[in-house]
Amino acid sequence: QADLAMYKAKGSGRNTLHFFDPQMQKDLQRRVTVEKVLSNSLNNHEFSVYFQPQIKVDNSIEGAEALIRWKSQALGDISPGEFIPIAEESGMIIEIGKWVLHEACSALEEWSSLGIGNDFKLAVNISANQLFSEEFVTDVQSIISQYSINPRQIKLELTESLLVKNISEAKSKMNQLKEFGISFSLDDFGTGYSSLAYLQRLPLDQLKIDQSFVRDLLDDKNDAEIAKTVVALANSLGLAVIAEGVESEMQRDRLVEFGCHSFQGFLYSPAIDREKFKHFLLDSLKKK
Ligand code: C2E
Ligand code: MG
Ligand code: MG
Ligand code: MG
């Protein structure tokens, strides 16, 4: 947690706080603005969900990750990296998260007529506040039930930092959803602090190697070693593994050497809108 250096300006009112650091003050102002604008964004239909393909070692399609996009009328494009933490803090993430899941299910329903098959999985990112909200399990079940899709086609991506907040509640909710058919992937793996003991207690299906280790895989021995270790760890725990942020053939080939057989990244495609993804699907199903 950043240490906010504040002082009371001489002669100003008792409750007037000033920041030493103008950049810090600017950041805070931006946050406040984004939070204010965010509260109308769902009603204004400013969000969309994009999809990034996940590709198997034989180049066939395994599934996709749903990634939210926000075109704000007032502020222009805002990245999820900026607004998701704000939505988490304000509580808006609960409503946004439900909306994303609806969109994901609706897309899956549409694509099922294209012949994607039952083993195609769509991954949806879940924040801590969502998982630990009281209605999470019933919300997810009821949303999925509104579409003609198989719950086995939905995968939820959780992060280590989220899970360690309350491992027993996380475990119990994951188990309930697993019984319903949903699977779980551990996102950004390697960047947190989780121990093997934690991992083994959770009903996970997949580890996702964080893109920070993939980025310098070819030049940085430590990153390569971590990526290799995550693959070995997944294998020994009986989990699937996928690498994110794969941008080049060379990175992919190195990951294949390590035993990784699923990939996501710009090498194949960035996240694209629903219509474009449909065409991506049609092309890749044609090649099959
Ligand atoms: P993430 O779940 O780890 O998603 C991966 C991010 O890496 C995405 O950024 C994706 O566009 C980007 N990416 C994919 N391939 C490459 C590549 O080859 N190179 C590089 N440099 N980047 C790549 P994005 O879409 O900006 O999302 C950022 C983060 O925001 C996500 O990280 C996730 O934590 C969060 N997020 C996105 N959508 C949602 C959502 O619907 N709900 C929640 N709770 N969080 C979301
Ligand atoms: Mg993710
Ligand atoms: Mg990730
Ligand atoms: Mg990430």
Side-chain angles (χ1 to χ4, degrees), residues 187-188 210-211 244:
D187 204 355
D188 303 342
D210 189 66
Q211 57 187 68
E244 69 177 357

Side-chain angles (χ1 to χ4, degrees), residues 12-275:
S12 69
R14 285 174 111 213
N15 297 316
T16 316
L17 295 172
H18 294 263
F19 289 97
F20 274 118
D21 182 350
Q23 186 57 46
M24 206 187 264
Q25 186 153 11
K26 250 175 123 183
D27 290 351
L28 190 71
Q29 263 158 10
R30 165 81 177 176
R31 250 186 114 89
V32 171
T33 309
V34 170
E35 183 176 335
K36 208 180 328 168
V37 171
L38 194 59
S39 60
N40 292 315
S41 51
L42 261 180
N43 289 336
N44 285 349
H45 308 287
E46 295 178 350
F47 292 116
S48 53
V49 173
Y50 275 41
F51 302 91
Q52 187 176 33
Q54 299 181 329
I55 304 294
K56 290 189 235 182
V57 72
D58 64 0
N59 283 328
S60 67
I61 188 159
E62 174 172 304
E65 178 174 9
L67 292 159
I68 194 169
R69 295 291 177 261
W70 181 21
K71 252 186 197 333
S72 162
Q73 281 164 33
L75 301 171
D77 287 357
I78 303 186
S79 74
E82 179 175 6
F83 76 80
I84 291 289
I86 298 173
E88 283 168 354
E89 219 164 89
S90 73
M92 265 284 285
I93 193 66
I94 306 284
E95 289 313 309
I96 294 175
K98 284 190 223 173
W99 181 83
V100 170
L101 190 57
H102 270 288
E103 284 295 303
C105 293
S106 148
L108 263 178
E109 192 179 68
E110 184 193 342
W111 300 333
S112 61
S113 65
L114 306 177
I116 51 171
N118 245 340
D119 52 348
F120 181 99
K121 281 191 176 26
L122 184 53
V124 177
N125 293 283
I126 300 295
S127 293
N129 290 348
Q130 291 175 267
L131 182 71
F132 297 124
S133 79
E134 208 156 325
E135 289 87 23
F136 182 68
V137 172
T138 49
D139 280 346
V140 170
Q141 288 170 335
S142 96
I143 291 170
I144 291 175
S145 304
Q146 291 167 45
Y147 297 85
S148 27
I149 59 165
N150 189 328
R152 292 192 192 287
Q153 294 184 295
I154 296 286
K155 177 156 69 184
L156 300 183
E157 293 197 0
L158 309 172
T159 60
E160 295 170 73
S161 54
L162 172 165
L163 291 169
V164 299
K165 285 188 179 174
N166 189 337
I167 203 104
S168 63
E169 184 176 343
K171 185 182 171 188
S172 131
K173 288 184 166 174
M174 288 168 77
N175 276 326
Q176 291 173 60
L177 287 170
K178 265 200 93 80
E179 255 169 62
F180 187 64
I182 286 172
S183 55
F184 290 93
S185 183
L186 191 50
D187 204 355
D188 303 342
F189 188 67
T191 60
Y193 315 89
S194 51
S195 66
L196 269 175
Y198 271 142
L199 279 185
Q200 280 176 312
R201 286 173 58 189
L202 294 166
L204 289 165
D205 300 280
Q206 183 183 60
L207 301 182
K208 207 165 179 184
I209 305 172
D210 189 66
Q211 57 187 68
S212 62
F213 306 116
V214 176
R215 192 178 305 129
D216 300 320
L217 193 66
L218 303 168
D219 315 308
D220 186 322
K221 278 204 174 112
N222 290 325
D223 286 352
E225 204 50 50
I226 290 170
K228 195 175 168 180
T229 305
V230 173
V231 176
L233 180 62
N235 286 337
S236 74
L237 292 173
L239 303 175
V241 63
I242 183 167
E244 69 177 357
V246 181
E247 296 185 353
S248 72
E249 285 288 351
M250 275 161 74
Q251 289 170 336
R252 176 198 176 272
D253 292 346
R254 182 62 55 86
L255 288 158
V256 173
E257 278 171 36
F258 295 163
C260 182
H261 295 149
S262 302
F263 316 93
Q264 179 182 343
F266 297 164
L267 171 62
Y268 303 98
S269 168
I272 48 183
D273 70 28
R274 183 158 160 176
E275 192 55 29

